[in-house]
Amino acid sequence: MQPAQRRAYERRPIPAVAVLITVLAAAGLGGCTGSDSTPGPDDGASGDSGTAVSAEPGRYRTLPEACGAVSRKNLQALLPGAEQDDKVYEGQAAVTYDIDRRDGCRWKVETPSGTRYLTIDFQRVVSYDPSVSDDDRAQETYEEKATAAHIPDATSSPSTPSASSSRSESGGASDGSSSSASPGSSSDEPGKGDKSGKGGKTDSGDKGTGTPSSGADASGGSDESDTASADTAPRRLDDLGDDAFLNDQLITKDSGIHRDITVVFRSSNVIATIEYDQWTTDKKHIPSSQELQGKAQDLADELTGRLNE
């Protein structure tokens, strides 16, 4: 019996379709691997968005208490005759909903020679635009006030006297509107609603509107020392905060006369407004620009120190 022969098997060729599938699969796997290791087009953009830098915040995060910001010595100078009633020095706080954003105070003293009003207002400006800093937004707000008061631009003014030199002069007026008003709610404007009220009491119910004019024109020459000049007209101030201006209005009515001095200055992201008014029924004695401007600027100097304490 012959041994069984091992059955031979023929090697069959691998179909071409199978080879093609294998090659394509390998190529596809390699492509996926390469895409994982190569940064996509959006990778760099997503990294940049995470490193975006916002504008710097302002220097001030809070405000001084307005009614306590003026020294007793300065109040005595600003409100002659108030020593008869110490409560006058306490002032009347403005109604505000956030004293870290807005605060103000108002004082009033009545004497036989007339009535004086003093109002101060602090406004801390905050920019909600990450591309605009608090300081830049505050400067925009300040310039809006200067424009509303018709204060000349610094570049168009022939000369801008320093605060110290201007206090030795007198006179000046403008038809600018009250610069204490700012964009926003009227509830944030201390003393704003009292303007007509104080006029009514002093002017014996006269509801007419006065026309701002220079001291010389309104006086008709009765007060020769109160003359308008480039040094005392509404102007920018150099030596006060980052930006500052002064406005001087003389308003006459049938029942009396009043001079309104307004000083507005910006320190970083805080805008401070001072309104200092003198009312009288004696048209022969015009309130002096020299006195009122000097005292208002002295107060502004004191308030800049308060902000930096």
Side-chain angles (χ1 to χ4, degrees):
M1 183 176 180
Q2 294 181 354
Q5 293 183 350
R6 184 176 298 175
R7 186 177 181 179
Y9 292 90
E10 295 180 354
R11 173 177 286 183
R12 297 181 179 180
I14 300 175
V17 175
V19 174
L20 180 59
I21 293 174
T22 303
V23 172
L24 291 176
L29 180 60
C32 292
T33 304
S35 63
D36 289 341
S37 60
T38 304
D42 294 333
D43 290 348
S46 61
D48 292 341
S49 62
T51 58
V53 179
S54 298
E56 293 185 2
R59 181 192 313 167
Y60 302 105
R61 303 297 180 88
T62 186
L63 293 171
E65 192 271 317
C67 287
V70 187
S71 66
R72 178 67 173 259
K73 179 180 180 181
N74 221 343
L75 284 174
Q76 289 174 337
L78 290 158
L79 305 171
E83 61 274 5
Q84 304 298 327
D85 184 3
D86 277 354
K87 290 184 178 180
V88 172
Y89 296 122
E90 296 177 2
Q92 180 180 358
V95 177
T96 181
Y97 298 99
D98 185 354
I99 59 175
D100 287 333
R101 289 291 303 276
R102 198 73 180 261
D103 198 15
C105 194
R106 180 175 180 269
W107 294 263
K108 171 185 175 182
V109 60
E110 293 180 292
T111 66
S113 60
T115 304
R116 297 202 187 197
Y117 297 86
L118 171 65
T119 302
I120 63 174
D121 170 56
F122 293 121
Q123 178 186 1
R124 185 172 68 90
V125 179
V126 177
S127 172
Y128 294 102
D129 184 344
S131 65
V132 180
S133 69
D134 292 346
D135 282 24
D136 288 343
R137 184 67 72 200
Q139 186 174 25
E140 291 176 3
T141 303
Y142 163 83
E143 287 297 339
E144 289 172 0
K145 292 176 179 288
T147 300
H150 306 291
I151 304 300
D153 292 337
T155 55
S156 62
S157 178
S159 63
T160 306
S162 64
S164 58
S165 65
S166 64
R167 296 176 201 185
S168 63
E169 303 294 339
S170 61
S174 170
D175 61 349
S177 59
S178 174
S179 59
S180 64
S182 63
S185 171
S186 60
S187 63
D188 285 339
E189 301 176 5
K192 182 73 173 178
D194 297 326
K195 280 286 186 181
S196 59
K198 73 181 182 182
K201 291 183 180 179
T202 306
D203 292 342
S204 303
D206 181 14
K207 297 182 180 180
T209 57
T211 302
S213 60
S214 67
D217 293 339
S219 66
S222 62
D223 188 349
E224 296 179 359
S225 65
D226 195 26
T227 56
S229 70
D231 290 339
T232 56
R235 63 196 183 277
R236 308 268 176 165
L237 302 175
D238 282 341
D239 302 335
L240 185 60
D242 296 318
D243 297 291
F245 70 80
L246 181 148
N247 197 14
D248 186 332
Q249 287 185 286
L250 185 67
I251 301 176
T252 58
K253 296 183 178 181
D254 292 340
S255 56
I257 187 171
H258 64 95
R259 184 179 293 282
D260 301 341
I261 304 297
T262 302
V263 176
V264 178
F265 69 87
R266 179 184 71 86
S267 179
S268 184
N269 61 319
V270 169
I271 298 175
T273 301
I274 299 169
E275 292 181 340
Y276 186 40
D277 310 336
Q278 182 176 357
W279 295 63
T280 179
T281 56
D282 186 357
K283 295 183 180 181
K284 295 181 179 180
H285 296 87
I286 297 176
S288 168
S289 278
Q290 178 180 2
E291 176 197 357
L292 300 183
Q293 286 193 21
K295 289 181 177 180
Q297 291 184 76
D298 286 342
L299 174 56
D301 290 337
E302 180 180 17
L303 294 185
T304 57
R306 294 290 187 184
L307 288 173
N308 296 322
E309 287 180 351

